[in-house]
Amino acid sequence: MQRKYYTRQTVRGPQSDEVMGGSAILTLHEAEKYGMTTEEIPDTKIFKITYKDQAQYFRAQNPAQTTGIAFQASTDKNMGRSLLKRAGISISEGFTIKKSDPVEYWLEVFAALQKPLVVKPTNGTQGQSVFMNVAEEGAFRTAVRVCLQHTLHISAGAVVEEMFQGQEYRILASAAKIIGVINRRPANVVGDGTSTITQLIEQKNSDPRRGDDPNDVLVKIKVDNHVTSHIESQGLTLESIPEKDLRVFLRLNSNISTGGDSLDVTDQVHPTVIEVAQRAMAAFPGLAFAGIDFMTKDITAPQTPDSYVIVEVNDSPGYSIHDQPYEGKNRHGAYEFLCVIFPQLRNDFPQPLE
Amino acid sequence: MTNTDALDLHYTKLSPRGEVEGSYITPSTQLILKAAEALGVRWREIPGTRIFELQYNGTNKLFRYQISINTTDIGFYTCLDKSVTNTILKANEISVPNGFHLEKTDTEEYWLEAFHSLTKPTVIKPTHGNKGIGISVGVTEEADFLERVRAAFALFENDSEAGVIIEEQCQGEEFRVIATKGKVLGVLQRIPANVVGDGIHTIQELIAEKNTHPYRNIFESKLYPKIKADALTEEMLREQGLSLMSILEKNYQVFLRKVSNISQGGDSVDLTSQIHPTFAEVANKVANSLPGIDFMGIDIMTADIRQSVERSPYHVIEVNSSPGFDIHEFPMTGKRQFIALEFVLLAFPELRPRLATMTTEQLENLY
């Protein structure tokens, strides 16, 4: 995909700013198909979009229809959690510990939650200082202490959550419908009985859909310390030759940006998953379009309160993974996004244009 | 928490022990709840979220703080990032201070280039944040500038939204305008903490007397915090050749602070009926320029908002999507403006006809 950049007004004149996300570029392409015009408002990352003389705005994957409250609810984890809980949806119960909270409060939090726990900094990125499987009080205290030291920022803290064991899915939804469900699989290769892991990685990376930029819809697998130590933990090296059809995982995290696979499983999910997702959407007042991070023991089975949790509801979901999955169908997230901005689009074009 | 006549309400917080009393609800938000009750609109809190649900005639509408029910994601985001606000206002030919947006990834050389291109003194402020946190004024020296910029960046918890604005410092007084699309609801000027002499009492006594004002004693004194006779006050007096024990001549006004913040004991003057039509036009233009927001506080710097924009050039320095308006409802000088009522009417416009039949006195007693 061709790269695009936002525009920034500088003292030297207009210049390229941050690179635009893959989904934002899809939106611009998709809009063109239906005769819409889009115009960036420089320095704001906001787009003005016009369809049949009607003007609207969007930014990233936030449509004009999403409310200010929904925006706040999806950026404030505690607020989101309260809303989901109120709607009777299972969540990873948890609390935030601030620097100003006394140790007695830490212990109250520890006592109130079901072990094991995940402890992470409120402002952590890319898995820095994330403590998994915390079950003992001593380990818990250490984890909280490290997280609180993670940053000098005064309002920083530690998020403590119950750990849920299950598969991770991303559900793309609008207020009107569930658009697609993606399973993110950590970076992996499948053996052919003759190639080494290094060769299998090279083969997989030669797929033209895999790019070098972490924002690309699929990303090349880079061999780094995480990869070597992860395969070592399985008793393998980069020179090992996996048996035919044996899948070897190269990382623990399932991020697409580090070479993971996106698998469209929309047609396999049990109707109760759709129902839970719809209730989650309704729980967030004024959320017009969202990505729901859903964990479950089995997505094809009827969901019960213990079988799943909703981890997060994101108000600006990237949908390039739904539109260009590694395996599966194009779910047309870009078209659905435009249908949220201009509801009459669905009447004018009941099917997305290819 | 449920409907109640009492003021002094607190949020409900979710703690490991269940629902507990959280922070004090600011006077402006409490006024909205009271105005809702007065109009027969039921309200309830969603625990742990600071969201309130308003209910009338089977319809539910939600608000949080003073963010209008109709404010969208885009509207909220536009005001959250002051650099975005500035850009949109400028594109709509509204006068904003000359300036630039700095990013953490810029070179120091670029920061200095921006600094040198502007007329001094300059103001440095983080793109996000409120209550004046991290704002430096009167910055003229290169070294000081760099230090202030770094300090402003350090305030961000999240690097991806970190930004700093450098702009030319504007002259004049600061006026706060509360506006909806198409209507100015309130205009207010804040003046620094002060006392006026009576020829009998000492400054200390005058402060004590002024602190008995009813407005300084409602809402747990959070509406108008009491004037402090502290070290800062003493220093300010010393500069004027006075002390806390000085007795001021009758009608002689002495200022106790340089800044006009209400939190520092400042006073407020309502000027709603005196705003010059050209300034009302500026406020309307601001309201119409910003997408997705129909209730806002506009901070305008100008010599006098009662003069025309030609005679009194102006700059819009900030737009707030969740403006505190309690001081408009209880100005120290001037007329009460029923902003909370207007806020509720944005959610339920069908209630407006009921107000048309009311006298000012009935309105005063409504909430």
Side-chain angles (χ1 to χ4, degrees):
Chain A
M1 196 186 306
Q2 204 193 336
R3 259 185 235 317
K4 280 193 177 165
Y5 296 86
Y6 288 105
T7 318
R8 174 183 175 196
Q9 295 295 346
T10 75
V11 59
R12 299 167 187 162
Q15 287 190 353
S16 287
D17 197 2
E18 270 168 55
V19 63
M20 246 177 235
S23 300
I25 298 175
L26 281 181
T27 307
L28 301 181
H29 283 313
E30 190 76 7
E32 222 173 282
K33 291 186 198 166
Y34 308 100
M36 299 175 183
T37 55
T38 50
E39 177 197 346
E40 182 195 357
I41 306 176
D43 251 0
T44 65
K45 300 192 171 83
I46 296 175
F47 287 93
K48 186 176 182 180
I49 182 166
T50 311
Y51 179 56
K52 297 189 167 171
D53 297 328
Q54 214 193 317
Q56 273 295 5
Y57 296 88
F58 71 92
R59 61 179 185 104
Q61 286 74 252
N62 305 63
Q65 284 75 4
T66 287
T67 63
I69 286 204
F71 169 66
Q72 294 175 72
S74 62
T75 45
D76 180 331
K77 213 157 177 199
N78 289 326
M79 206 173 145
R81 207 183 260 140
S82 304
L83 289 173
L84 290 171
K85 226 159 88 174
R86 178 169 173 261
I89 290 163
S90 303
I91 56 164
S92 282
E93 188 65 75
F95 297 98
T96 303
I97 295 176
K98 290 188 178 158
K99 282 190 177 173
S100 53
D101 289 324
V103 177
E104 293 83 74
Y105 183 75
W106 301 13
L107 297 179
E108 246 175 65
V109 168
F110 184 73
L113 298 175
Q114 251 180 47
K115 272 54 90 183
L117 305 172
V118 181
V119 184
K120 55 192 173 187
T122 48
N123 58 347
T125 47
Q126 306 288 321
Q128 284 173 343
S129 308
V130 176
F131 295 83
M132 314 276 276
N133 245 322
V134 178
E136 306 299 326
E137 193 190 302
F140 169 74
R141 282 171 180 255
T142 310
V144 173
R145 206 170 294 123
V146 171
C147 288
L148 292 182
Q149 282 165 356
H150 182 83
T151 160
L152 293 173
H153 197 277
I154 183 117
S155 61
V159 181
V160 184
E161 270 174 3
E162 292 172 355
M163 196 165 132
F164 184 87
Q165 306 272 11
Q167 286 275 321
E168 209 184 305
Y169 297 87
R170 169 48 83 93
I171 303 174
L172 183 69
S174 67
K177 71 184 267 195
I178 302 303
I179 300 160
V181 184
I182 284 284
N183 180 16
R184 280 176 293 202
R185 192 158 61 190
N188 66 86
V189 288
V190 178
D192 59 7
T194 55
S195 309
T196 65
I197 290 182
T198 302
Q199 287 165 337
L200 291 169
I201 292 174
E202 275 167 18
Q203 282 166 28
K204 195 159 185 176
N205 283 349
S206 68
D207 184 335
R209 293 177 298 170
R210 287 195 187 261
D212 291 307
D213 192 285
N215 290 313
D216 286 333
V217 64
L218 288 168
V219 180
K220 288 193 169 119
I221 301 167
K222 286 199 189 76
V223 178
D224 56 18
N225 289 341
H226 291 284
V227 170
T228 47
S229 69
H230 192 66
I231 56 176
E232 267 166 34
S233 73
Q234 302 166 64
L236 298 168
T237 72
L238 287 168
E239 299 318 310
S240 307
I241 298 175
E243 273 170 46
K244 191 164 160 50
D245 298 332
L246 179 73
R247 190 182 301 276
V248 176
F249 286 95
L250 306 172
R251 287 182 195 279
L252 212 52
N253 84 59
S254 57
N255 295 356
I256 300 298
S257 60
T258 54
D261 293 339
S262 49
L263 314 171
D264 167 44
V265 296
T266 312
D267 296 332
Q268 297 153 41
V269 306
H270 193 272
T272 51
V273 174
I274 305 295
E275 191 196 300
V276 170
Q278 277 165 340
R279 270 169 48 216
M281 284 303 284
F284 279 72
L287 189 60
F289 194 74
I292 301 167
D293 287 335
F294 187 87
M295 284 183 84
T296 176
K297 299 197 193 317
D298 183 356
I299 201 149
T300 63
Q303 302 299 310
T304 62
D306 297 327
S307 72
Y308 79 94
V309 293
I310 286 185
V311 181
E312 212 170 299
V313 177
N314 186 314
D315 65 328
S316 188
Y319 42 68
S320 53
I321 52 168
H322 299 273
D323 290 9
Q324 299 164 352
Y326 181 66
E327 280 173 29
K329 281 191 207 153
N330 177 352
R331 296 294 165 180
H332 299 287
Y335 164 79
E336 294 294 340
F337 180 62
L338 295 174
C339 285
V340 171
I341 300 177
F342 296 111
Q344 76 267 32
L345 179 64
R346 206 185 291 282
N347 298 330
D348 299 347
F349 295 92
Q351 294 299 320
L353 298 177
E354 285 306 326
Chain B
M1 205 167 51
T2 53
N3 287 17
T4 167
D5 279 340
L7 297 172
D8 299 327
L9 308 174
H10 289 253
Y11 287 110
T12 308
K13 189 182 152 184
L14 299 183
S15 86
R17 281 172 289 173
E19 292 186 7
V20 296
E21 186 176 277
S23 328
Y24 189 77
I25 300 174
T26 59
S28 297
T29 308
Q30 293 201 38
L31 284 165
I32 295 171
L33 301 176
K34 295 208 70 65
E37 282 180 29
L39 289 169
V41 173
R42 291 161 55 90
W43 63 264
R44 81 197 160 94
E45 184 195 7
I46 302 178
T49 64
R50 301 194 174 191
I51 296 175
F52 290 99
E53 188 171 66
L54 298 179
Q55 197 184 56
Y56 181 74
N57 220 353
T59 310
N60 292 341
K61 304 251 171 127
L62 303 174
F63 78 98
R64 193 169 189 243
Y65 305 120
Q66 291 80 248
I67 303 166
S68 157
I69 280 98
N70 308 309
T71 296
T72 69
D73 164 273
I74 302 265
F76 185 75
Y77 161 82
T78 300
C79 293
L80 192 65
D81 188 327
K82 292 172 186 146
S83 166
V84 173
T85 322
N86 271 352
T87 306
I88 294 184
L89 294 181
K90 203 170 157 186
N92 286 278
E93 288 155 0
I94 292 152
S95 170
V96 295
N98 247 338
F100 295 99
H101 168 220
L102 310 179
E103 287 175 14
K104 213 171 176 175
T105 47
D106 293 333
T107 59
E108 206 173 278
E109 190 195 340
Y110 176 77
W111 290 355
L112 290 173
E113 214 175 305
F115 176 67
H116 290 304
S117 76
L118 297 173
T119 307
K120 312 298 173 297
T122 61
V123 177
I124 313 297
K125 55 183 178 188
T127 49
H128 297 56
N130 51 30
K131 293 179 189 138
I133 296 163
I135 299 185
S136 308
V137 296
V139 179
T140 54
E141 302 299 326
E142 216 179 90
D144 187 35
F145 158 72
L146 288 175
E147 196 181 308
R148 306 285 182 158
V149 170
R150 283 193 205 103
F153 274 120
L155 293 170
F156 287 89
E157 191 181 340
N158 182 346
D159 268 1
S160 70
E161 66 176 22
V164 171
I165 294 170
I166 174 171
E167 60 190 23
E168 291 171 359
Q169 193 169 321
C170 347
Q171 303 300 313
E173 305 283 330
E174 194 180 320
F175 297 86
R176 166 49 82 87
V177 177
I178 304 277
T180 59
K181 289 208 190 289
K183 195 176 173 196
V184 168
L185 301 179
V187 182
L188 194 112
Q189 185 177 9
R190 290 172 298 190
I191 49 179
N194 65 84
V195 287
V196 178
D198 60 1
I200 303 163
H201 294 97
T202 65
I203 291 179
Q204 182 140 39
E205 286 164 346
L206 291 172
I207 292 174
E209 165 62 25
K210 200 164 176 177
N211 281 340
T212 64
H213 191 288
Y215 288 178
R216 293 195 190 271
N217 292 281
I218 50 173
F219 292 111
E220 294 186 356
S221 294
K222 285 183 168 70
L223 171 58
Y224 285 97
K226 294 189 180 182
I227 302 170
K228 287 189 193 121
D230 58 6
L232 220 65
T233 305
E234 288 186 75
E235 193 189 316
M236 187 76 187
L237 290 171
R238 208 160 30 241
E239 281 172 21
Q240 302 171 77
L242 297 165
S243 82
L244 283 171
M245 292 305 126
S246 306
I247 294 171
L248 300 176
E249 272 173 46
K250 195 164 163 61
N251 296 330
Y252 186 80
Q253 188 178 38
V254 164
F255 286 98
L256 307 170
R257 282 286 194 274
K258 285 198 174 100
V259 296
S260 58
N261 300 39
I262 300 297
S263 60
Q264 298 283 316
D267 281 345
S268 57
V269 183
D270 169 67
L271 298 171
T272 310
S273 60
Q274 296 169 57
I275 185 174
H276 194 274
T278 54
F279 270 103
E281 219 173 277
V282 168
N284 281 331
K285 215 164 141 190
V286 170
N288 289 322
S289 301
L290 298 174
I293 175 162
D294 68 348
F295 181 78
M296 70 208 82
I298 307 168
D299 290 340
I300 301 177
M301 287 282 270
T302 183
D304 190 350
I305 207 161
R306 289 164 289 201
Q307 305 283 334
S308 72
V309 290
E310 287 77 31
R311 289 189 61 185
S312 178
Y314 76 94
H315 291 98
V316 170
I317 56 170
E318 217 172 294
V319 181
N320 195 320
S321 63
S322 180
F325 53 72
D326 46 4
I327 50 177
H328 292 263
E329 294 258 5
F330 300 100
M332 284 295 184
T333 312
K335 205 170 149 242
R336 177 178 183 180
Q337 304 300 329
F338 296 91
I339 314 266
L341 215 49
E342 294 290 340
F343 186 95
V344 177
L345 291 176
L346 285 173
F348 300 105
E350 63 269 35
L351 286 169
R352 187 173 293 280
R354 275 182 47 186
L355 294 184
T357 60
M358 286 184 168
T359 64
T360 309
E361 201 191 338
Q362 283 171 317
L363 265 178
E364 295 270 1
N365 293 321
L366 200 54
Y367 67 101

